[in-house]
Amino acid sequence: MADPHSTDRLVAEVTSGNVRAGARLISRIEHAGEGIVPVLQSLYRVGGRSRIIGVTGPPGAGKSTLIDKLIGHWRKRGLRVAVLAVDPSSPFSGGALLGDRLRMTAHSGDDGVFIRSMASRGRTGGLAAAARDALVVLDAMPWDVVLLETVGVGQNETEVMRHASVVVLVQTPMGGDDVQAAKAGIMEIGDVLVVNKADHPDADRTARMLRDVVARSRRLHPDRVWAPPVLKSQASRNEGVVEVTEQIDRFFAVLGANPEFAKSRQRERARHRVGQILRELLDRHLDSGDGAWLDEMSEPLLSRTADPYSVAEELLSRVVA
Amino acid sequence: MNKGNGLKVIVSMIGLDGHTTGGEVVSMILRDAGFEVVYLGVNQTPEMIVDAAIQEDVDAIGISSHASNYPQIERLMQLMKERELDDVPVICGGNIPPQQIERLLASGVARIFTPGSGADEIVDYLAANARKSQAHG
C-alpha cells in the first residue's frame, strides 16, 4: 500500500468525503497498517476546517445522549457532523462492547452524519491510541463538526483536551462536595460544564457547587479570558441542549477574539501531538533491536565508562541540534 | 480467550423485535472472546444496519431474531449485496423455525444459531469466518 499512486488515490477519496474510504482508513489506523503515515501527512495538511469538540464525563452521565441531541441541533443548522466515540476494552479478553452508537440511532440514514465507535485498546487517558490519527481523517473529509466522545472517565483521564478545541464536561448530580469539585484533573479541563439529569433533586446543588468552584478559580486567575459556564440539561428530553451549543459557539467566538488565548491552546496541542509522535518513533527505534545502535549504547554502560544519563543526553543531542 | 483478536462485529435486533436479552448475552460472549462488538440495539431497519456496517467497517454482522422478522433479514441480505458488502458475513440467532432457516440461508445468511447453540460454536464460527480485512493482514 505504500506506493504513491494508491496513497494519492486514497487521499483524494477521503478528502472528497467518501465515507467508505474514510471508515476503512480508520480501521487501518487502528490496526497500525503499513503505509499510513504518508496518507496522514497529506490529510493533515488539507485539514483544520472541522470544529473538534470533546465530550467527557463519568460513565452513564449522558455523554452519548447529549451528543445525539447536539447532532440534531447542528443538523438543523445545516452542518455535517461526525462522531468518534470511544468505549473501554476489556483488560481480560481485549474485547469491547461499544454501546455509544446505540444512543444516536435517530441519525441513522442521514448522509450528513458519520458515527464511528472505537475501543480504547488499553489506552488509559480516556481515548484510544488510534483516536489522534482518526481525527486527522475526519477533519480532512471534512465534517463541519467532529465530536470526540471519551470513555466514561474518572478523575485523571484528560487526554481529550489534547485533541479537541473545546471540552464539554458532562457531570451527574450527586458528584460529591466542593472539595471534590476543586480537585485537579478532569475538573480542570472542562470549558463547558454540564450537569445532566437535571430532574434529579441534587442537580441544583451540584450546579451551584460547580459555579462556586468556577468563581473561586476566577478570583485566583483573573487574567483568564474564559470561565467555564455551568449549565443544567436533561439530554434525554432535549432540554438545556441549545444552551450547550450556545456556550460552545461563545467559546469559539472568545477564541477568535483572543489570539493569545487561541495560540496558547494551539501551542499546547502541537507540543503534545509532536511530542507523542516523537516518543512513538523513538520507542519503535529502541524496540527495533538494531544491533549496532544497541551495542553502541550498552557497551560503555557495561564497562562503566559511561552512564545511562549521559548516553541518553548524547542521543537527544543528535535529535535536537 | 482472545479468539476475536480485535475483529469488529455488529450485534443488532431488526425491525420491531424487542427481545434484547439474546443479543446482549451474545455481545458479552463475544466481548469476553476478544471481539469488539458494536451493539445497535432495537428498532434497526436493514438500511440502518448496513449504514452502521459501512461507517464502523465491521467484519461480521449478527442479527438476533425472535419475532419472525424474516423478510427484513432477507431485505438486509439484498442490501448487503447492493452496497457491496458481500465479504461481510451475516449470521442470525434465535428461535427460527427450520423452513425459515432454509429461506434465510438461501438469501445469503452465512449461518444460523438456534436455541441451544453453545457460546464456543458462535465464537469459533466468527473467528474463522469473519471478513479478514486488509487491516488484519
Side-chain angles (χ1 to χ4, degrees):
Chain A
M1 285 305 282
D3 85 89
H5 287 298
S6 68
T7 298
D8 290 347
R9 197 179 61 238
L10 182 53
V11 168
E13 282 173 351
V14 170
T15 52
S16 70
N18 181 326
V19 164
R20 198 178 292 234
R24 293 224 160 146
L25 181 55
I26 292 172
S27 301
R28 282 177 60 196
I29 292 167
E30 287 191 275
H31 293 94
E34 299 268 313
I36 279 177
V37 171
V39 180
L40 293 172
Q41 286 174 320
S42 297
L43 293 179
Y44 187 87
R45 285 162 188 254
V46 299
R49 282 172 288 170
S50 304
R51 276 187 173 181
I52 300 181
I53 298 168
V55 179
T56 192
K63 297 180 292 299
S64 304
T65 305
L66 178 63
I67 285 174
D68 174 54
K69 299 301 190 288
L70 289 172
I71 297 170
H73 178 85
W74 283 318
R75 287 300 292 146
K76 275 189 212 144
R77 278 167 48 181
L79 299 174
R80 300 172 72 253
V81 185
V83 181
L84 183 64
V86 186
D87 257 337
S89 294
S90 165
F92 300 106
S93 70
L97 208 170
L98 310 172
D100 292 328
R101 190 185 186 94
L102 166 71
R103 316 285 174 197
M104 308 172 194
T105 51
H107 307 288
S108 288
D110 179 349
D111 288 342
V113 179
F114 176 88
I115 300 166
R116 178 66 177 234
S117 315
M118 187 175 271
S120 66
R121 298 200 175 172
R123 183 75 151 226
T124 52
L127 294 175
R132 179 193 71 210
D133 294 341
L135 286 173
V136 172
V137 176
L138 296 174
D139 184 20
M141 291 181 78
W143 301 89
D144 298 311
V145 176
V146 176
L147 286 148
L148 175 60
E149 179 180 349
T150 71
V151 305
V153 302
Q155 292 178 302
N156 204 28
E157 296 90 337
T158 55
E159 199 185 347
V160 64
M161 67 180 281
R162 313 290 191 187
H163 301 286
S165 298
V166 58
V167 174
V168 178
L169 174 62
V170 185
Q171 290 284 48
T172 53
M174 301 182 65
D177 65 8
D178 57 339
V179 178
Q180 288 295 337
K183 282 188 178 174
I186 190 77
M187 292 305 303
E188 296 176 282
I189 70 163
D191 299 308
V192 177
L193 307 181
V194 180
V195 179
N196 194 34
K197 313 196 183 193
D199 54 323
H200 190 282
D202 277 345
D204 282 323
R205 187 189 63 80
T206 304
R208 198 162 54 241
M209 189 189 68
L210 290 174
R211 285 194 189 104
D212 286 349
V213 171
V214 170
R216 243 179 252 171
S217 181
R218 190 160 214 189
R219 281 192 289 278
L220 291 169
H221 306 283
D223 52 320
R224 287 187 187 168
V225 296
W226 179 261
V230 178
L231 305 169
K232 287 192 299 173
S233 71
Q234 207 179 335
S236 60
R237 299 182 59 181
N238 207 2
E239 288 176 11
V241 176
V242 172
E243 289 78 358
V244 175
T245 67
E246 287 168 354
Q247 291 299 329
I248 291 170
D249 287 342
R250 193 169 72 82
F251 182 85
F252 279 102
V254 168
L255 271 183
N258 293 274
E260 281 305 310
F261 178 45
K263 200 174 160 192
S264 74
R265 289 273 181 133
Q266 284 156 2
R267 280 166 57 110
E268 185 56 27
R269 285 200 295 276
R271 186 177 72 86
H272 179 79
R273 179 178 292 255
V274 176
Q276 198 177 49
I277 293 168
L278 183 63
R279 278 188 292 275
E280 286 168 11
L281 289 173
L282 206 54
D283 277 342
R284 209 171 305 154
H285 195 69
L286 287 168
D287 293 344
S288 68
D290 176 328
W293 151 277
L294 285 175
D295 285 346
E296 189 193 350
M297 282 196 292
S298 59
E299 274 165 16
L301 295 186
L302 206 64
S303 61
R304 302 274 159 168
T305 54
D307 60 88
Y309 310 96
S310 57
V311 169
E313 274 182 21
E314 207 273 312
L315 287 174
L316 182 67
S317 71
R318 287 191 220 168
V319 179
V320 187
Chain B
M1 195 157 108
N2 189 15
K3 289 176 180 167
N5 195 22
L7 286 168
K8 194 172 185 182
V9 300
I10 278 175
V11 172
S12 183
M13 274 52 75
I14 194 165
L16 296 177
D17 187 347
H19 305 84
T20 56
T21 306
E24 287 175 18
V25 169
V26 169
S27 294
M28 286 184 68
I29 288 169
L30 294 175
R31 180 203 74 179
D32 291 346
F35 290 85
E36 293 181 349
V37 181
V38 182
Y39 180 70
L40 296 186
V42 296
N43 301 332
Q44 297 292 307
T45 64
E47 288 79 6
M48 291 160 85
I49 294 168
V50 167
D51 281 343
I54 291 170
Q55 294 182 6
E56 300 285 355
D57 194 29
V58 294
D59 304 304
I61 296 174
I63 301 295
S64 171
S65 172
H66 293 86
S68 310
N69 290 320
Y70 313 120
Q72 302 225 32
I73 298 173
E74 286 170 5
R75 169 77 186 135
L76 170 67
M77 297 316 300
Q78 189 191 334
L79 269 181
M80 295 286 287
K81 288 188 193 89
E82 285 172 17
R83 309 271 304 263
E84 293 171 12
L85 287 174
D86 312 61
D87 56 339
V88 177
V90 175
I91 64 169
C92 296
N95 56 349
I96 302 170
Q99 60 273 33
Q100 292 296 340
I101 289 177
E102 293 299 321
R103 280 188 60 175
L104 290 178
L105 292 174
S107 74
V109 171
R111 175 82 184 258
I112 290 169
F113 293 92
T114 49
S117 300
D120 286 345
E121 273 180 80
I122 301 171
V123 166
D124 289 341
Y125 181 81
L126 281 177
N129 295 285
R131 181 190 67 163
K132 300 290 184 288
S133 65
Q134 207 170 41
H136 297 273

